[in-house]
Amino acid sequence: MTGHAHVVTSGEGRTVDLGVARMRVLADDAVTSAFSLTEFAGETAGPWTVPHLHHGFEESFFVLDGEFTFTVAGKPITATPGTYVLVPKDTAHTITAGPGGGRFLTLMVPGGLEKMFVELGELPPNAITDPTTRRQVSSRYDSVPV
């Protein structure tokens, strides 16, 4: 990608409907070879994921709109716009949206996990929060339900 900008404007980027939220891919590991950057947005309150961890990468979140509770290693963190949360490797975490949902950016280093969400988006609505479905799909992407 040397010498070329990668630009995704408002309304662009691959979008995947996950039921409780939508994921928009801003940059994936095919573009960057080092990380993936996605935006998650939705209006649904409640769990947006099952409890899980990743052995091979770190995940960072930056809240843009709404209020979320990120439970990291069993400790709840209230996150409002402007809050940044880093989840280290091998650390269990969940994401729960407050009333009205919201929007956040997710940085995955190294990248590749966005492919799991694409696969989940091809399944019935809310597969991301179904423990059985999530376990079957996530086993291929270093996302381990706990």
Side-chain angles (χ1 to χ4, degrees):
M1 177 150 174
T2 303
H4 301 332
H6 174 73
V7 178
V8 178
T9 61
S10 180
E12 292 184 331
R14 181 174 187 176
T15 300
V16 177
D17 185 352
L18 298 164
V20 295
R22 295 169 307 285
M23 177 192 73
R24 181 168 69 117
V25 177
L26 302 172
D28 60 18
D29 62 342
V31 170
T32 70
S33 75
F35 66 89
S36 297
L37 180 65
T38 59
E39 175 189 54
F40 284 83
E43 295 77 39
T44 303
W48 279 19
T49 186
V50 298
H52 66 283
L53 58 80
H54 312 285
H55 295 298
F57 65 92
E58 296 180 330
E59 244 179 332
S60 292
F61 304 92
F62 184 78
V63 176
L64 301 169
D65 296 307
E67 181 177 303
F68 294 89
T69 300
F70 291 85
T71 302
V72 180
K75 297 179 181 165
I77 300 163
T78 301
T80 56
T83 302
Y84 168 77
V85 178
L86 169 67
V87 178
K89 295 176 186 177
D90 297 313
T91 305
H93 57 286
T94 63
I95 303 166
T96 303
R103 190 167 59 104
F104 57 82
L105 296 175
T106 302
L107 176 66
M108 298 158 273
V109 181
L113 184 64
E114 72 285 349
K115 294 174 183 84
M116 179 188 78
F117 295 109
V118 169
E119 187 173 336
L120 286 167
E122 295 169 352
L123 299 173
N126 300 324
I128 191 172
T129 59
D130 175 55
T132 302
T133 303
R134 180 68 187 262
R135 185 171 288 106
Q136 292 169 346
V137 173
S138 63
S139 66
R140 295 186 285 280
Y141 299 97
D142 186 23
S143 185
V144 182
V146 293

